[in-house]
Amino acid sequence: MTAILVGLVGHTWRRQQYASMSWWLGWWLLATLTWTPITVTTGSVAGITTHWWANGVWVVRPLQKASIDASFWFNIVMTLPQGWLWYRRWPRLNRLIWPLLGVVTGGALETGQTLGNWLVGLGLWVDINDIITNALGVVLGYGLAKIWQDKWRGDSSCS
């Protein structure tokens, strides 16, 4: 995956498409953060209903009390930049599309984890909460970029 993303970054850099290049770099960073086979626990996992499937741990019940820990909030913060970069790339999208972009982002990351678990047994958690929080981070990042563009820069164009 890194080779593909590096190729896309190089391609957009050569064409001087810096917003697109930043977007692909954002995807590489998110993929690295979410697909690296390490476990970071920021709280107790006791009380979270999980299932073992396809060489990984699955959480399919959203917003369980024990699921809302520091990693829950980190997932929002982690995808704020990608939402900002979505805006830099496509600034005129209807705001009703923003949640869909967030779900696509979170879904792509969780799908990558699922494939990593299934193909090489990474043992990563595939968590519905991550899709929710990633989507929220993208929506907030997109909204903040729009506010920044409209209010502080004083124009509606995007470079």
Side-chain angles (χ1 to χ4, degrees):
M1 186 50 77
T2 293
I4 292 168
L5 291 171
V6 165
L8 291 167
V9 167
H11 175 74
T12 53
W13 180 71
R14 283 188 301 280
R15 295 178 140 206
Q16 298 181 350
Q17 297 171 335
Y18 300 117
S20 294
M21 182 186 74
S22 298
W23 191 72
W24 288 116
L25 280 171
W27 271 109
W28 175 79
L29 181 61
L30 286 174
T32 301
L33 285 171
T34 58
W35 298 344
T36 301
I38 60 170
T39 301
V40 177
T41 304
T42 58
S44 172
V45 295
I48 300 175
T49 303
T50 62
H51 307 279
W52 181 262
W53 183 70
N55 299 317
V57 178
W58 285 68
V59 178
V60 294
R61 282 188 43 213
L63 305 175
Q64 297 173 63
K65 186 175 182 179
S67 293
I68 302 174
D69 61 0
S71 67
F72 181 91
W73 302 106
F74 176 70
N75 272 297
I76 295 170
V77 171
M78 166 179 95
T79 50
L80 279 167
Q82 195 63 13
W84 188 287
L85 294 170
W86 274 104
Y87 180 80
R88 297 283 298 153
R89 192 136 191 238
W90 292 286
R92 299 201 190 330
L93 288 177
N94 184 311
R95 79 176 110 212
L96 298 174
I97 300 296
W98 302 358
L100 178 61
L101 297 177
V103 170
V104 165
T105 300
L109 296 173
E110 295 304 298
T111 299
Q113 289 178 324
T114 300
L115 291 173
N117 287 344
W118 181 57
L119 295 173
V120 292
L122 295 177
L124 297 170
W125 282 51
V126 179
D127 191 342
I128 187 66
N129 295 301
D130 291 351
I131 295 173
I132 294 167
T133 54
N134 293 159
L136 184 55
V138 167
V139 168
L140 290 172
Y142 199 98
L144 289 171
K146 179 160 180 44
I147 290 168
W148 174 266
Q149 190 74 30
D150 293 348
K151 302 293 183 198
W152 283 279
R153 290 205 48 212
D155 63 19
S156 60
S157 64
C158 191
S159 58

